[in-house]
Amino acid sequence: MRKTVLITGATSGIGLGCARKFADNGDRLILTGRNTAKLETIRQELCAKGVDVITLTFDIRNRQAATEAINSLPEDWSTIDVLVNNAGLALGLEPEYEGNQDDWETMIDTNVKGLLCMTRLIVPGMIERNRGHIINIGSVAGDAAYAGGNVYCATKAAVKALSDGLRIDVAHTAVRVTNLKPGLVETNFSNIRFHGDTERAASLYKGIEPLTGDDIADVAVYAANAPAHVQIAEVLILATHQASGSVIVRS
C-alpha cells in the first residue's frame, strides 16, 4: 500500500537518502527543508521517476512557519502515514565549559524542540485514524557521551527519551514509533559541526568505511513496511569497525 511520507531535513544526508528510498518503495513524499532551490532539484529528480512529491520550505525551529506549512497542504495530502523526524545537526566539539551558547541553542531548538513541534503537528491525525508511524533519527551519541559531544549527545539522549515516551503514549493505538540510532555516517554533518572546515570534517572518516545516508534509509523503509503487528522500536546502526560512539578502529 502506497504511503504518504513526510521527511524533515530532506535536502541532504540521511534525509535525502530516505527521500530516494521511500520513492523507490513507491510512496509519495512531502519533503521539507530550509533551501528552496535544493528541494526543487530533488523534487524534479524524483518526479522524473514518476514519484508524487510536494516540497515545503521552512525551518523546524520556527513553530509558526512549521504550522503554516503543514496547514497549507492540499486536503488529499494531509493524511500523513509516516513522519521521519530527520532534521538535526551538531555544532562544535569543544569541552562543555568552553562551548558556544549560540551553538547550544541551535542544537536544542532543532534536534529537540523542532522534533517535538513536528510530532505535535502530525501525530494527532495518526491517533484519530488509528494508524501511522513516527521514525525519529536519533544517534549512538544518545546512548553515551563522548569527548566534546556534551550538548549534542544530550539532544540525542532526549530523542531517545521522547521516542520511548511517545511509544508509551500511543500504545493504545496502532501507531508505531521507531528510534534509529546511526553511528558514523558520511554526510555534510561533520562539515556543519566544524563550521565549514572541510579538511577537519573529512579527517573524521579517514581509515574507516563509514555508513551512508542510504544505509540508514534502508532501515527506515524496512521499519515502515514491517507487518502491522510488528513495531521496530529501536535500531543501533554502526559501521563494521565502530563499536560505540567513542570506539572506532581505523586502518
Side-chain angles (χ1 to χ4, degrees), residues 91-105 107 148-151 195:
L91 292 169
L93 203 62
E94 299 84 12
E96 191 170 322
Y97 56 85
E98 294 179 351
N100 183 305
Q101 295 188 53
D102 290 335
D103 286 351
W104 294 352
E105 290 189 12
M107 286 187 281
N150 43 77
V151 174
H195 298 281

Side-chain angles (χ1 to χ4, degrees), residues 102-170:
D102 290 335
D103 286 351
W104 294 352
E105 290 189 12
T106 299
M107 286 187 281
I108 293 167
D109 288 349
T110 305
N111 301 357
V112 181
K113 293 166 67 176
L115 179 146
L116 280 170
C117 175
M118 295 304 298
T119 299
R120 184 65 180 84
L121 288 171
I122 303 302
V123 175
M126 294 181 175
I127 301 297
E128 183 179 347
R129 295 185 296 273
N130 195 36
R131 61 182 172 86
H133 197 152
I134 304 94
I135 300 176
N136 291 333
I137 305 300
S139 173
V140 63
D143 287 346
Y146 55 77
N150 43 77
V151 174
Y152 173 70
C153 294
T155 66
K156 290 303 183 178
V159 171
K160 173 176 171 53
L162 292 171
S163 301
D164 292 346
L166 180 60
R167 196 177 303 111
I168 293 167
D169 291 339
V170 303

Side-chain angles (χ1 to χ4, degrees), residues 12-18 86 88-90 137-141 146 152 156 180-194 200-206 208-219 235-242 244-245 248 250:
S12 63
I14 294 171
L16 178 56
C18 284
N86 164 73
L89 76 168
I137 305 300
S139 173
V140 63
Y146 55 77
Y152 173 70
K156 290 303 183 178
L180 299 185
K181 305 188 299 184
L184 196 63
V185 183
E186 187 168 14
T187 65
N188 66 343
F189 173 89
S190 293
N191 197 46
I192 292 171
R193 162 168 259 172
F194 299 130
R200 188 180 180 191
S203 68
L204 188 65
Y205 307 109
K206 287 182 179 178
I208 187 172
E209 183 175 355
L211 302 167
T212 68
D214 285 350
D215 294 327
I216 311 308
D218 282 336
V219 183
V235 183
L236 176 64
I237 311 144
L238 302 175
T240 298
H241 296 290
Q242 179 176 14
S244 69
I248 300 171
R250 304 177 189 274

Side-chain angles (χ1 to χ4, degrees), residues 3-10 14-19 21-22 27-32 58 60 80-88 114-115 118-119 122-123 126 132-138 176 178 180 213 216-217 219-221 223-224:
K3 299 180 179 69
T4 299
V5 182
L6 189 154
I7 304 167
T8 66
I14 294 171
L16 178 56
C18 284
K21 293 289 185 176
F22 276 104
D27 298 316
R28 63 180 192 166
L29 306 175
I30 302 168
L31 306 180
T32 86
F58 63 91
I60 63 169
I80 295 165
D81 300 297
V82 180
L83 167 63
V84 181
N85 275 319
N86 164 73
L115 179 146
M118 295 304 298
T119 299
I122 303 302
V123 175
M126 294 181 175
H133 197 152
I134 304 94
I135 300 176
N136 291 333
I137 305 300
R176 302 184 293 186
T178 298
L180 299 185
I216 311 308
V219 183
V221 172

